[in-house]
Coordinates of all heavy atoms in Angstrom, one line a residue:
A1106 N -3.8 17.3 4.9 CA -5.0 16.7 4.5 C -4.8 16.1 3.1 O -5.4 15.1 2.8 CB -6.1 17.7 4.5
G1107 N -4.0 16.7 2.3 CA -3.7 16.2 1.0 C -3.3 14.8 0.9 O -3.4 14.1 -0.1
E1108 N -2.7 14.3 2.0 CA -2.1 12.9 1.9 C -3.1 11.9 2.4 O -2.9 10.7 2.2 CB -0.9 12.8 2.8 CG 0.2 13.8 2.5 CD 0.6 13.8 1.0 OE1 0.8 12.6 0.5 OE2 0.8 14.8 0.4
L1109 N -4.2 12.3 2.9 CA -5.2 11.3 3.4 C -5.9 10.7 2.2 O -6.1 11.3 1.2 CB -6.3 12.0 4.2 CG -5.8 12.6 5.6 CD1 -6.8 13.5 6.2 CD2 -5.4 11.5 6.5
P1110 N -6.3 9.4 2.4 CA -7.1 8.7 1.4 C -8.5 9.4 1.2 O -9.1 9.9 2.2 CB -7.3 7.3 1.9 CG -7.1 7.4 3.3 CD -6.1 8.5 3.6
H1111 N -8.9 9.5 0.0 CA -10.2 10.1 -0.3 C -11.4 9.2 0.2 O -11.3 8.0 -0.1 CB -10.4 10.4 -1.8 CG -9.4 11.4 -2.3 ND1 -9.3 11.7 -3.6 CD2 -8.5 12.2 -1.7 CE1 -8.4 12.6 -3.8 NE2 -7.9 12.9 -2.6
L1112 N -12.3 9.8 0.8 CA -13.5 9.1 1.2 C -14.3 8.9 -0.1 O -14.5 9.8 -0.9 CB -14.3 10.0 2.2 CG -15.6 9.4 2.7 CD1 -15.3 8.2 3.7 CD2 -16.4 10.4 3.5
T1113 N -14.8 7.6 -0.2 CA -15.5 7.3 -1.4 C -17.0 7.0 -1.0 O -17.3 6.7 0.1 CB -15.0 6.1 -2.1 OG1 -15.2 4.9 -1.3 CG2 -13.5 6.2 -2.4
D1114 N -17.8 7.0 -2.0 CA -19.2 6.7 -1.8 C -19.4 5.3 -1.3 O -20.4 5.0 -0.6 CB -20.1 6.9 -3.1 CG -20.0 8.3 -3.7 OD1 -19.2 9.1 -3.2 OD2 -20.7 8.6 -4.6
A1115 N -18.5 4.4 -1.6 CA -18.6 3.0 -1.3 C -18.2 2.7 0.2 O -18.5 1.7 0.7 CB -17.7 2.2 -2.2
D1116 N -17.5 3.7 0.8 CA -17.1 3.5 2.2 C -18.3 3.3 3.1 O -19.3 4.0 3.0 CB -16.4 4.8 2.6 CG -15.8 4.7 4.0 OD1 -16.6 4.8 5.0 OD2 -14.6 4.5 4.2
P1117 N -18.3 2.3 4.0 CA -19.5 2.0 4.8 C -19.9 3.1 5.6 O -21.1 3.4 5.8 CB -19.0 0.8 5.7 CG -17.9 0.2 4.9 CD -17.2 1.3 4.2
T1118 N -19.0 3.8 6.2 CA -19.3 5.0 7.0 C -19.9 6.1 6.2 O -20.9 6.8 6.6 CB -18.1 5.6 7.7 OG1 -17.3 4.5 8.2 CG2 -18.5 6.4 8.9
A1119 N -19.4 6.3 5.0 CA -19.9 7.3 4.1 C -21.3 6.9 3.7 O -22.2 7.8 3.7 CB -19.0 7.3 2.8
K1120 N -21.6 5.6 3.4 CA -22.9 5.2 3.0 C -23.9 5.5 4.1 O -25.0 5.9 3.9 CB -22.9 3.7 2.7 CG -22.4 3.4 1.4 CD -22.7 1.9 1.0 CE -22.4 1.7 -0.4 NZ -22.5 0.6 -1.1
A1121 N -23.5 5.3 5.4 CA -24.4 5.5 6.5 C -24.8 6.9 6.6 O -25.9 7.2 7.1 CB -23.7 5.1 7.8
M1122 N -24.0 7.8 6.0 CA -24.4 9.3 6.1 C -24.7 9.8 4.7 O -24.7 11.0 4.5 CB -23.2 10.0 6.7 CG -23.1 9.7 8.2 SD -22.6 11.0 9.2 CE -20.9 10.6 9.4
N1123 N -24.9 8.9 3.7 CA -25.3 9.2 2.4 C -24.3 10.1 1.7 O -24.7 11.0 0.9 CB -26.7 9.9 2.4 CG -27.8 9.1 3.0 OD1 -28.0 8.0 2.5 ND2 -28.4 9.5 4.1
Y1124 N -23.1 10.0 2.1 CA -22.0 10.8 1.4 C -22.0 10.6 -0.1 O -22.0 9.5 -0.5 CB -20.7 10.5 2.1 CG -19.5 11.2 1.4 CD1 -19.2 12.6 1.7 CD2 -18.7 10.5 0.5 CE1 -18.1 13.2 1.1 CE2 -17.6 11.2 -0.1 CZ -17.3 12.5 0.2 OH -16.3 13.2 -0.4
I1125 N -21.8 11.7 -0.8 CA -21.6 11.6 -2.2 C -20.4 12.5 -2.6 O -20.3 13.6 -2.1 CB -22.9 12.1 -3.0 CG1 -23.6 13.2 -2.3 CG2 -23.8 10.9 -3.2 CD1 -24.9 13.6 -3.0
E1126 N -19.5 11.9 -3.3 CA -18.2 12.6 -3.5 C -18.4 13.8 -4.4 O -17.6 14.8 -4.3 CB -17.2 11.6 -4.0 CG -15.8 12.2 -4.0 CD -14.7 11.1 -4.2 OE1 -15.0 10.0 -4.5 OE2 -13.5 11.5 -4.0
D1127 N -19.3 13.7 -5.4 CA -19.5 14.8 -6.3 C -21.0 15.2 -6.2 O -21.8 14.7 -7.0 CB -19.1 14.5 -7.7 CG -19.3 15.7 -8.6 OD1 -19.8 16.8 -8.1 OD2 -18.9 15.6 -9.8
A1128 N -21.3 16.0 -5.2 CA -22.7 16.4 -5.0 C -23.3 17.1 -6.2 O -24.5 17.1 -6.4 CB -22.9 17.2 -3.7
T1129 N -22.4 17.8 -6.9 CA -22.9 18.7 -8.0 C -23.5 17.8 -9.1 O -24.3 18.2 -10.0 CB -21.8 19.5 -8.6 OG1 -20.8 18.7 -9.1 CG2 -21.3 20.5 -7.5
A1130 N -23.1 16.5 -9.2 CA -23.7 15.6 -10.1 C -24.7 14.7 -9.5 O -25.2 13.7 -10.2 CB -22.5 14.7 -10.7
S1131 N -25.1 14.9 -8.3 CA -26.0 14.1 -7.6 C -27.5 14.2 -8.1 O -28.0 15.3 -8.3 CB -26.0 14.3 -6.1 OG -27.0 13.6 -5.4
K1132 N -28.1 13.0 -8.1 CA -29.6 13.0 -8.3 C -30.3 12.7 -7.1 O -31.5 12.6 -7.1 CB -29.9 11.9 -9.4 CG -29.1 12.0 -10.7 CD -29.8 12.9 -11.6 CE -29.2 12.8 -13.0 NZ -27.9 13.5 -13.1
S1133 N -29.6 12.7 -5.9 CA -30.3 12.4 -4.7 C -31.3 13.4 -4.3 O -31.1 14.6 -4.4 CB -29.2 12.3 -3.6 OG -29.8 12.3 -2.3
A1134 N -32.5 12.9 -3.9 CA -33.6 13.8 -3.5 C -33.2 14.5 -2.2 O -33.8 15.5 -1.8 CB -34.8 13.0 -3.3
L1135 N -32.2 14.0 -1.4 CA -31.9 14.6 -0.2 C -31.0 15.8 -0.4 O -31.0 16.7 0.5 CB -31.1 13.6 0.7 CG -31.8 12.3 1.1 CD1 -30.9 11.3 1.8 CD2 -32.9 12.7 2.1
Y1136 N -30.2 15.8 -1.5 CA -29.3 16.9 -1.7 C -29.9 18.1 -2.1 O -30.8 18.1 -3.0 CB -28.2 16.4 -2.7 CG -27.3 17.5 -3.1 CD1 -26.4 18.0 -2.3 CD2 -27.4 18.0 -4.4 CE1 -25.5 19.1 -2.6 CE2 -26.6 19.1 -4.8 CZ -25.6 19.6 -3.9 OH -24.8 20.6 -4.3
R1137 N -29.5 19.2 -1.6 CA -29.9 20.5 -2.0 C -28.8 21.3 -2.7 O -27.7 21.4 -2.1 CB -30.4 21.4 -0.8 CG -31.6 20.7 -0.2 CD -32.4 21.5 0.7 NE -33.6 20.7 1.2 CZ -34.4 21.2 2.1 NH1 -34.3 22.4 2.6 NH2 -35.4 20.4 2.5
T1138 N -29.1 21.8 -3.8 CA -28.1 22.5 -4.6 C -27.4 23.6 -3.8 O -28.1 24.4 -3.1 CB -28.8 23.2 -5.9 OG1 -29.4 22.2 -6.6 CG2 -27.7 23.9 -6.7
G1139 N -26.1 23.6 -3.9 CA -25.3 24.6 -3.2 C -24.8 24.1 -1.8 O -24.0 24.8 -1.2
S1140 N -25.4 23.1 -1.3 CA -25.0 22.6 0.0 C -23.8 21.6 -0.2 O -24.1 20.4 -0.4 CB -26.1 21.8 0.8 OG -27.2 22.7 1.0
I1141 N -22.6 22.1 -0.1 CA -21.5 21.2 -0.3 C -20.5 21.3 0.8 O -20.5 22.2 1.6 CB -20.8 21.5 -1.6 CG1 -20.4 23.0 -1.7 CG2 -21.6 21.2 -2.8 CD1 -19.5 23.4 -2.9
C1142 N -19.6 20.3 0.9 CA -18.7 20.3 2.0 C -17.9 21.6 2.2 O -17.7 22.1 3.3 CB -17.6 19.1 1.8 SG -18.3 17.5 1.9
A1143 N -17.6 22.2 1.1 CA -16.8 23.5 1.1 C -17.5 24.5 2.0 O -16.8 25.4 2.6 CB -16.6 24.0 -0.3
N1144 N -18.8 24.5 2.1 CA -19.4 25.5 3.0 C -20.1 24.9 4.2 O -21.0 25.5 4.8 CB -20.4 26.4 2.2 CG -21.4 25.6 1.4 OD1 -21.9 24.7 1.9 ND2 -21.8 26.1 0.2
C1145 N -19.7 23.7 4.5 CA -20.2 23.0 5.7 C -19.4 23.3 6.9 O -18.2 23.5 6.8 CB -20.2 21.5 5.5 SG -20.7 20.5 6.9
Q1146 N -20.0 23.4 8.0 CA -19.2 23.9 9.2 C -18.2 22.8 9.7 O -17.3 23.1 10.4 CB -20.2 24.3 10.3 CG -20.4 23.4 11.5 CD -21.3 24.1 12.5 OE1 -22.1 24.9 12.3 NE2 -21.1 23.7 13.8
F1147 N -18.4 21.6 9.3 CA -17.5 20.5 9.7 C -16.3 20.4 8.8 O -15.4 19.5 9.0 CB -18.2 19.1 9.8 CG -19.3 19.2 10.8 CD1 -20.7 19.0 10.4 CD2 -19.1 19.3 12.1 CE1 -21.7 19.0 11.3 CE2 -20.1 19.3 13.1 CZ -21.4 19.2 12.6
Y1148 N -16.2 21.2 7.7 CA -15.2 21.0 6.7 C -14.0 22.0 7.0 O -14.3 23.1 7.3 CB -15.8 21.3 5.3 CG -14.8 21.3 4.2 CD1 -14.4 20.1 3.6 CD2 -14.2 22.5 3.7 CE1 -13.5 20.0 2.6 CE2 -13.3 22.4 2.6 CZ -12.9 21.2 2.1 OH -12.0 21.2 1.1
H1149 N -12.8 21.5 6.8 CA -11.6 22.3 6.8 C -10.8 22.0 5.6 O -10.4 20.9 5.5 CB -10.8 22.1 8.1 CG -11.5 22.6 9.3 ND1 -12.2 21.8 10.2 CD2 -11.7 23.9 9.8 CE1 -12.7 22.6 11.2 NE2 -12.4 23.8 11.0
G1150 N -10.6 23.0 4.8 CA -9.8 22.8 3.6 C -10.1 23.8 2.5 O -10.8 24.8 2.8
P1151 N -9.5 23.6 1.4 CA -9.7 24.6 0.3 C -11.1 24.5 -0.3 O -11.7 23.5 -0.2 CB -8.6 24.1 -0.7 CG -8.4 22.7 -0.5 CD -8.6 22.5 1.0
D1152 N -11.5 25.5 -1.0 CA -12.8 25.5 -1.7 C -12.9 24.6 -2.8 O -14.0 24.2 -3.2 CB -13.1 27.0 -2.2 CG -13.4 27.9 -1.0 OD1 -13.7 27.4 0.1 OD2 -13.4 29.1 -1.2
V1153 N -11.7 24.3 -3.4 CA -11.7 23.3 -4.5 C -10.6 22.3 -4.2 O -9.5 22.6 -3.7 CB -11.3 24.0 -5.8 CG1 -11.1 23.0 -7.0 CG2 -12.3 25.1 -6.2
G1154 N -11.0 21.0 -4.3 CA -10.0 20.0 -4.0 C -10.6 19.2 -2.8 O -11.8 19.0 -2.7
Y1155 N -9.7 18.7 -1.9 CA -10.0 17.9 -0.8 C -9.6 18.5 0.5 O -8.6 19.2 0.6 CB -9.4 16.5 -1.0 CG -10.1 15.7 -2.0 CD1 -9.9 15.9 -3.4 CD2 -11.0 14.7 -1.6 CE1 -10.5 15.1 -4.3 CE2 -11.7 14.0 -2.6 CZ -11.5 14.2 -3.9 OH -12.1 13.4 -4.8
G1156 N -10.4 18.2 1.5 CA -10.1 18.7 2.8 C -10.6 17.7 3.9 O -10.9 16.6 3.5
T1157 N -10.6 18.1 5.1 CA -11.0 17.2 6.1 C -12.3 17.5 6.7 O -12.8 18.6 6.6 CB -9.9 17.2 7.3 OG1 -9.9 18.5 7.8 CG2 -8.6 16.7 6.9
C1158 N -13.0 16.5 7.3 CA -14.3 16.6 7.9 C -14.2 16.0 9.2 O -13.7 14.9 9.4 CB -15.4 15.9 7.0 SG -16.9 15.8 7.9
Q1159 N -14.7 16.7 10.2 CA -14.7 16.2 11.6 C -15.4 14.8 11.7 O -15.1 14.1 12.6 CB -15.3 17.2 12.5 CG -14.6 18.4 12.8 CD -15.4 19.4 13.6 OE1 -16.2 19.0 14.5 NE2 -15.2 20.7 13.4
L1160 N -16.3 14.6 10.9 CA -17.1 13.4 11.0 C -16.5 12.2 10.3 O -16.9 11.1 10.5 CB -18.5 13.6 10.4 CG -19.3 14.7 11.0 CD1 -20.7 14.8 10.4 CD2 -19.4 14.6 12.5
F1161 N -15.5 12.4 9.5 CA -14.8 11.3 8.8 C -13.3 11.4 9.1 O -12.5 11.7 8.1 CB -15.1 11.4 7.3 CG -16.5 11.1 7.0 CD1 -17.3 12.2 6.6 CD2 -17.1 9.9 7.0 CE1 -18.7 12.0 6.3 CE2 -18.4 9.7 6.7 CZ -19.2 10.8 6.3
P1162 N -12.9 11.2 10.3 CA -11.4 11.3 10.6 C -10.6 10.3 9.8 O -11.0 9.2 9.5 CB -11.4 11.0 12.1 CG -12.6 10.2 12.4 CD -13.7 10.8 11.5
G1163 N -9.4 10.8 9.4 CA -8.5 9.9 8.6 C -8.8 9.9 7.2 O -8.1 9.1 6.4
K1164 N -9.8 10.6 6.7 CA -10.1 10.6 5.3 C -10.3 12.0 4.8 O -10.5 12.9 5.6 CB -11.5 9.9 5.1 CG -11.5 8.4 5.4 CD -10.8 7.6 4.3 CE -10.6 6.1 4.7 NZ -11.8 5.4 4.8
A1165 N -10.1 12.2 3.5 CA -10.2 13.5 2.9 C -11.6 13.5 2.2 O -11.9 12.5 1.4 CB -9.1 13.8 1.9
V1166 N -12.4 14.6 2.4 CA -13.6 14.6 1.7 C -13.5 15.7 0.5 O -12.7 16.6 0.6 CB -14.8 15.0 2.6 CG1 -15.0 13.9 3.7 CG2 -14.6 16.4 3.2
N1167 N -14.3 15.5 -0.5 CA -14.3 16.4 -1.6 C -15.0 17.7 -1.3 O -16.1 17.7 -0.7 CB -15.0 15.7 -2.8 CG -14.7 16.4 -4.1 OD1 -14.5 17.6 -4.2 ND2 -14.7 15.6 -5.2
A1168 N -14.4 18.8 -1.6 CA -15.0 20.1 -1.4 C -16.4 20.2 -2.0 O -17.3 20.9 -1.4 CB -14.1 21.3 -1.9
K1169 N -16.6 19.5 -3.1 CA -17.9 19.5 -3.7 C -18.7 18.3 -3.3 O -19.7 18.0 -4.0 CB -17.8 19.7 -5.2 CG -17.1 18.6 -6.0 CD -17.0 18.9 -7.4 CE -16.3 17.9 -8.2 NZ -16.1 18.2 -9.6
G1170 N -18.3 17.6 -2.2 CA -19.1 16.5 -1.7 C -20.3 17.0 -0.8 O -20.5 18.2 -0.7
W1171 N -20.9 16.0 -0.3 CA -22.1 16.3 0.6 C -22.4 15.1 1.4 O -22.2 14.0 0.9 CB -23.3 16.8 -0.2 CG -24.5 16.9 0.6 CD1 -24.9 18.1 1.2 CD2 -25.6 15.9 0.8 NE1 -26.2 17.8 1.9 CE2 -26.6 16.5 1.6 CE3 -25.7 14.6 0.4 CZ2 -27.7 15.8 2.0 CZ3 -26.8 13.9 0.8 CH2 -27.8 14.5 1.6
C1172 N -23.0 15.2 2.6 CA -23.6 14.1 3.3 C -24.8 14.6 4.1 O -25.0 15.8 4.2 CB -22.5 13.4 4.2 SG -22.3 14.1 5.8
S1173 N -25.5 13.6 4.7 CA -26.7 14.0 5.3 C -26.5 14.7 6.7 O -27.4 15.2 7.3 CB -27.6 12.8 5.6 OG -26.9 11.8 6.2
S1174 N -25.2 14.8 7.1 CA -24.9 15.6 8.3 C -24.5 17.1 7.9 O -24.1 17.8 8.8 CB -23.8 14.9 9.1 OG -24.3 13.7 9.6
Y1175 N -24.7 17.4 6.7 CA -24.4 18.7 6.3 C -25.0 19.8 7.2 O -26.2 19.7 7.5 CB -24.9 19.0 4.8 CG -24.7 20.4 4.4 CD1 -23.5 20.9 3.9 CD2 -25.7 21.4 4.5 CE1 -23.3 22.2 3.5 CE2 -25.5 22.7 4.1 CZ -24.3 23.1 3.6 OH -24.2 24.4 3.2
T1176 N -24.1 20.8 7.6 CA -24.6 21.8 8.5 C -24.0 23.1 7.9 O -22.8 23.2 7.7 CB -24.0 21.6 9.9 OG1 -24.5 20.3 10.4 CG2 -24.6 22.7 10.9
T1177 N -24.9 24.1 7.7 CA -24.4 25.3 7.2 C -23.4 26.0 8.1 O -23.6 25.9 9.4 CB -25.5 26.3 6.9 OG1 -26.6 26.0 7.8 CG2 -25.9 26.4 5.5
Q1178 N -22.5 26.7 7.6 CA -21.6 27.5 8.4 C -22.4 28.6 9.2 O -23.4 29.1 8.7 CB -20.6 28.2 7.5 CG -19.2 28.3 8.1 CD -18.2 28.2 7.0 OE1 -18.4 28.4 5.8 NE2 -17.0 27.8 7.4
K1179 N -21.9 28.8 10.4 CA -22.6 29.8 11.2 C -22.7 31.1 10.5 O -21.8 31.5 9.7 CB -21.9 30.0 12.5 CG -20.3 30.3 12.4 CD -19.6 29.0 12.5 CE -18.1 29.2 12.0 NZ -17.5 27.9 11.6
A1180 N -23.8 31.8 10.7 CA -24.1 33.0 9.9 C -23.0 34.1 10.1 O -22.4 34.2 11.1 CB -25.4 33.6 10.3
Ligands
SF4_1655 FE1 -19.1 17.2 3.9 FE2 -20.2 18.4 6.0 FE3 -20.9 15.9 5.5 FE4 -18.5 16.5 6.4 S1 -20.4 16.8 7.5 S2 -18.9 15.1 4.7 S3 -18.0 18.4 5.5 S4 -21.3 17.7 4.2

């Protein structure tokens, strides 16, 4: 996953899902504190750095990113 290009906020697919690469710095009204890729069920990767997301094949998402498809990990 480390070799994949990073998904950016400017990516059209990312925009469609309101992806933000650094959710911790987000002012988005949609974003809820603590909901980040690292604890999303679609994320696979390290808690810090970049990993993969099933919804963005071929790209690496930021562990501290977020998008509107965020889904909490199963209990
Ligand atoms: Fe991050 Fe989850 Fe959105 Fe994928 S679906 S970009 S892992 S918040």
Side-chain angles (χ1 to χ4, degrees):
E1108 304 306 317
L1109 294 171
H1111 294 175
L1112 184 68
T1113 68
D1114 298 10
D1116 183 286
T1118 320
K1120 280 192 169 178
M1122 294 214 257
N1123 302 302
Y1124 175 79
I1125 38 185
E1126 190 165 12
D1127 184 356
T1129 60
S1131 173
K1132 303 275 192 286
S1133 169
L1135 297 170
Y1136 172 69
R1137 297 197 179 177
T1138 304
S1140 299
I1141 54 174
C1142 292
N1144 57 36
C1145 174
Q1146 110 175 24
F1147 298 115
Y1148 178 81
H1149 289 101
D1152 287 345
V1153 175
Y1155 284 78
T1157 56
C1158 168
Q1159 289 173 32
L1160 302 184
F1161 297 103
K1164 295 284 171 65
V1166 299
N1167 196 328
K1169 61 182 180 181
W1171 172 87
C1172 85
S1173 52
S1174 291
Y1175 173 83
T1176 306
T1177 24
Q1178 215 144 23
K1179 51 269 165 199

